[in-house]
């Protein structure tokens, strides 16, 4: 391959990669707030469904895992464990406390989900490898699935 043809091939490959990257929905930035041993995952933006990707449905009760993370537990075992999935609340959400005990989460719009509340969320998973270091390190301490569930904008 001569130099001009090789350069054209490299430019074409780079343009194709940029086009594909532009089509994919961005992975929401996930941060973590550690408040007195309870970890709250926060998503900077809602989950966006990528082309060819299915929405997920997460149902269960909001609980605190043994590792101190807010998770949705499906109740199959009765105690949040490695099958529970951490839930990312919208950025700006805060923990609700009664004295020194976490009792739930308050979203920026004022909606509150209490521990033990059962409900469903539609969205998608962000895998541990796609998280920034702080969130990845926090997730590995959760004793849960190694992903964070991020709801769609409509919850």
């Amino acid at each position: 391959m001569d130099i001009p043809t090789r350069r054209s091939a490299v430019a074409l490959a780079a343009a194709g990669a940029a086009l594909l990257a532009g089509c994919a929905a961005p992975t929401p930035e996930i941060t973590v707030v550690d408040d007195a041993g309870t970890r709250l995952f926060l998503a900077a933006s809602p989950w966006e469904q990528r082309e060819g990707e299915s929405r997920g449905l997460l149902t269960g009760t909001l609980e605190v895992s043994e590792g101190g993370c807010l998770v949705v537990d499906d109740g199959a075992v009765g105690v949040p464990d490695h099958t529970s999935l951490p839930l990312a609340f919208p950025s700006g959400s805060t923990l609700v406390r009664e004295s020194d005990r976490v009792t739930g989460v308050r979203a920026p719009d004022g909606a509150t989900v209490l521990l033990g509340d059962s409900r469903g969320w539609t969205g998608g998973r962000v895998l541990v490898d796609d998280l920034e270091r702080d969130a990845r390190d926090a997730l590995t301490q959760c004793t849960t699935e190694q992903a964070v569930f991020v709801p769609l904008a409509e919850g």
Side-chain angles (χ1 to χ4, degrees):
M1 183 179 289
D2 66 4
I3 298 298
T5 306
R6 183 168 181 261
R7 284 185 186 148
S8 298
V10 169
L12 182 60
L19 180 63
L20 287 174
C23 293
T27 301
E29 180 185 344
I30 307 293
T31 57
V32 64
V33 173
D34 190 339
D35 183 356
T38 301
R39 291 179 195 87
L40 171 64
F41 289 93
L42 301 172
S45 61
W47 183 78
E48 293 181 36
Q49 187 171 344
R50 294 173 173 93
E51 186 175 330
E53 188 174 39
S54 297
R55 291 180 181 187
L57 177 63
L58 180 63
T59 60
T61 57
L62 185 66
E63 303 291 342
V64 178
S65 74
E66 286 182 25
C69 298
L70 285 166
V71 300
V72 175
D73 179 44
D74 65 8
V77 179
V79 175
D81 63 4
H82 67 280
T83 63
S84 300
L85 192 58
L87 178 67
F89 284 85
S91 188
S93 297
T94 57
L95 291 174
V96 177
R97 293 186 165 279
E98 229 176 70
S99 299
D100 63 345
R101 191 174 75 88
V102 171
T103 59
V105 178
R106 182 170 295 115
D109 66 3
T112 301
V113 181
L114 297 175
L115 293 181
D117 281 357
S118 182
R119 66 177 285 200
W121 290 270
T122 302
R125 295 171 188 234
V126 176
L127 301 176
V128 68
D129 293 338
D130 295 330
L131 297 172
E132 295 295 324
R133 177 174 287 282
D134 290 346
R136 187 173 53 236
D137 291 348
L139 182 60
T140 59
Q141 297 174 26
C142 289
T143 67
T144 62
E145 279 194 37
Q146 294 299 290
V148 176
F149 193 86
V150 179
L152 292 167
E154 65 264 14

